[in-house]
């Protein structure tokens, strides 16, 4: 049996290609405008904020652009703003109606901050109220786990910022970014069966620690917060690799499961040390390593790792008798 999420996973390449075709020139214009700003806020929730974490950590590794990532409520309730400041704000939301993110957009506009929305719904409040709106071409997405909206949001953020950064490395990454639809299309065909088997092996695990550093923390956050907890109804916790020795190191032992996101042996050495420590203790380690899937630049790792992770979560849910796209409370409980 195929659940609704299956087709949405398979739709990712076409959604990316449609978004590129329709928004490429628009994104380049936004990039030129945002290059002049002193600071940029990125606002999102759930899967959307994970894309913000990712692009923040990628950008800071090769440029000095000042980026601040916040949830909508934190920005609305705790961020001091001054009129006339040379700042911008980008909000990310599949629906364009996420209440706290929308309030953040409105607060920014009241203070004269330049605003951009990235949303899948062209008639949504965010699309209408932001100064500029990037529309991801995903069609309707019903499953709770952002798949095609996740990759198109992430693509849009990468395209905005890598067009802003004027360096040889940024140009190389930008060129590879436009090959991502082909990469994902190939991974959809080649990674399902292995990760279905992996899911069956781990179907009885109830708690997963999800660890990543640098470019991989945002994806570790998504994996724990929205994929394990929302999708397969498993307890999960995201952990910065650099924080492993400040807490989790005292909890790892045989029977504990840690999922590591890795970008190869020459990147993020603190993650490698954590892997070695866990393996020496006999910890149940699951490693998703970029080199097993692609030779793409390490800064684009999330685009390669997301597909095997989606197949893993999809089948993990099914092995536990759950529909991977359904919800129990989200959308029903209002804050």
């Amino acid at each position: 049996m195929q659940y609704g999420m299956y087709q949405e996973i398979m739709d990712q390449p076409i959604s990316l290609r449609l978004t590129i075709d329709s928004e490429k020139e628009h994104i380049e214009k936004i990039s030129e405008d945002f290059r002049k700003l002193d600071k940029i806020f990125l606002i999102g929730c759930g899967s959307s904020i994970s894309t913000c974490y990712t692009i923040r950590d990628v950008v800071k590794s090769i440029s000095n652009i000042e980026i601040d990532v916040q949830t909508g409520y934190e920005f609305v309730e705790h961020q001091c703003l001054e009129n006339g400041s040379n700042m911008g704000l980008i909000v990310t939301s599949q629906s364009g109606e996420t209440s706290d993110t929308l309030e953040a957009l409105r607060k920014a506009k009241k203070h004269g901050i330049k605003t951009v929305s990235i949303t899948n719904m062209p008639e949504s409040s965010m699309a209408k109220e932001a100064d500029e709106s990037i529309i991801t071409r995903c069609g309707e997405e019903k499953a709770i786990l952002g798949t095609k909206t996740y990759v198109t949001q992430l693509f849009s953020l990468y395209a905005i910022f890598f067009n802003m950064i004027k360096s040889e490395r940024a140009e190389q990454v930008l060129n590879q970014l436009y090959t991502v639809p082909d990469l994902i299309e190939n991974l959809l065909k080649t990674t399902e069966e292995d990760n279905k088997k992996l899911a069956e092996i781990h179907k009885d695990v109830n708690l997963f620690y999800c660890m990543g550093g640098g470019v991989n923390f945002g994806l570790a956050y998504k994996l724990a917060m929205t994929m394990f907890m929302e999708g397969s109804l498993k307890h999960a916790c995201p952990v910065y690799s650099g924080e492993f020795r400040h807490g989790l190191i005292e909890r790892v032992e045989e029977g504990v499961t840690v999922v590591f996101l890795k970008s190869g042996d020459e990147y993020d050495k603190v993650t490698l040390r954590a892997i070695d420590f866990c393996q020496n203790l006999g910890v149940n380690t699951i490693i998703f390593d970029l080199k097993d899937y692609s030779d793409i630049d390490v800064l684009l790792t999330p685009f390669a790792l997301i597909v095997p992770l989606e197949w893993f979560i999809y089948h993990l849910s099914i092995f536990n008798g759950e529909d991977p796209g359904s919800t129990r409370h989200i959308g029903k409980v209002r804050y």
Side-chain angles (χ1 to χ4, degrees):
M1 175 181 178
Q2 290 181 0
Y3 290 84
M5 182 183 165
Y6 183 91
Q7 187 56 51
E8 295 185 353
I9 293 174
M10 297 301 293
D11 284 345
Q12 290 173 105
I14 185 62
S15 296
L16 277 165
R17 292 182 180 117
L18 290 171
T19 301
I20 292 168
D21 289 345
S22 61
E23 293 290 348
K24 184 176 184 293
E25 292 183 3
H26 186 204
I27 287 172
E28 290 171 355
K29 175 183 177 298
I30 291 170
S31 297
E32 192 60 33
D33 291 341
F34 268 54
R35 286 187 70 229
K36 306 166 188 174
L37 301 176
D38 298 326
K39 182 175 183 176
I40 301 169
F41 292 101
L42 302 180
I43 308 295
C45 302
S47 183
S48 292
I49 200 171
S50 78
T51 65
C52 300
Y53 287 137
T54 294
I55 196 63
R56 177 199 65 189
D57 294 338
V58 169
V59 168
K60 75 182 182 185
S61 70
I62 62 168
S63 85
N64 59 3
I65 296 172
E66 187 170 354
I67 298 174
D68 187 350
V69 176
Q70 298 185 37
T71 69
Y73 283 131
E74 286 298 312
F75 184 84
V76 171
E77 296 181 3
H78 304 299
Q79 179 62 52
C80 175
L81 297 175
E82 295 181 358
N83 291 334
S85 56
N86 187 36
M87 298 190 295
L89 175 138
I90 301 174
V91 292
T92 55
S93 168
Q94 187 281 134
S95 67
E97 301 293 348
T98 310
S99 59
D100 43 346
T101 307
L102 183 57
E103 287 304 309
L105 171 65
R106 290 169 175 167
K107 176 177 178 176
K109 287 185 67 66
K110 286 180 182 178
H111 287 83
I113 292 174
K114 187 171 183 60
T115 59
V116 172
S117 69
I118 303 174
T119 177
N120 194 47
M121 298 298 175
E123 298 303 316
S124 65
S125 299
M126 288 183 205
K128 292 177 179 178
E129 295 182 30
D131 298 323
E132 300 279 355
S133 188
I134 297 168
I135 305 300
T136 57
R137 267 56 178 193
C138 300
E140 186 176 8
E141 187 169 59
K142 295 181 179 179
I144 184 59
L145 294 184
T147 55
K148 52 188 177 178
T149 55
Y150 168 79
V151 295
T152 52
Q153 274 186 22
L154 190 62
F155 169 86
S156 299
L157 287 169
Y158 267 80
I160 289 171
F161 283 96
F162 276 87
N163 273 294
M164 290 169 60
I165 303 167
K166 302 303 180 182
S167 71
E168 183 178 347
R169 177 77 182 280
E171 185 176 353
Q172 291 172 352
V173 172
L174 192 60
N175 288 337
Q176 289 190 23
L177 179 65
Y178 289 99
T179 70
V180 162
D182 294 337
L183 168 65
I184 289 180
E185 190 167 55
N186 178 63
L187 291 174
L188 287 171
K189 300 172 184 176
T190 59
T191 62
E192 181 179 5
E193 285 306 311
D194 285 347
N195 286 286
K196 181 178 180 179
K197 294 174 184 175
L198 189 67
E200 186 171 18
I201 292 169
H202 295 90
K203 67 182 189 303
D204 296 324
V205 175
N206 288 316
L207 171 61
F208 295 84
Y209 292 101
C210 305
M211 191 176 301
V215 63
N216 292 320
F217 174 73
L219 184 54
Y221 183 90
K222 174 181 170 60
L223 176 62
M225 298 292 288
T226 71
M227 298 177 80
F228 276 124
M229 287 202 278
E230 291 179 0
S232 56
L233 301 182
K234 298 286 190 179
H235 294 291
C237 178
V239 182
Y240 271 109
S241 296
E243 285 294 281
F244 171 73
R245 67 188 186 95
H246 299 291
L248 182 55
I249 194 170
E250 293 296 332
R251 294 298 304 130
V252 290
E253 57 191 18
E254 287 188 36
V256 172
T257 299
V258 184
V259 182
F260 290 96
L261 306 182
K262 182 183 172 188
S263 295
D265 295 336
E266 299 303 318
Y267 179 84
D268 189 19
K269 291 181 174 57
V270 71
T271 296
L272 305 185
R273 291 200 293 270
I275 291 172
D276 288 343
F277 185 91
C278 288
Q279 290 180 331
N280 289 335
L281 281 181
V283 174
N284 182 29
T285 57
I286 305 172
I287 302 173
F288 289 86
D289 191 340
L290 174 64
K291 69 179 176 58
D292 295 330
Y293 304 107
S294 174
D295 60 358
I296 203 165
D297 191 294
V298 295
L299 297 182
L300 294 166
T301 299
F303 290 104
L305 296 190
I306 187 59
V307 176
L309 288 173
E310 286 170 345
W311 286 135
F312 178 57
I313 294 296
Y314 177 80
H315 289 290
L316 186 68
S317 304
I318 295 170
F319 282 125
N320 282 274
E322 301 290 344
D323 177 348
S326 65
T327 65
R328 295 190 296 177
H329 303 300
I330 293 175
K332 301 173 185 176
V333 178
R334 296 295 177 187
Y335 282 82

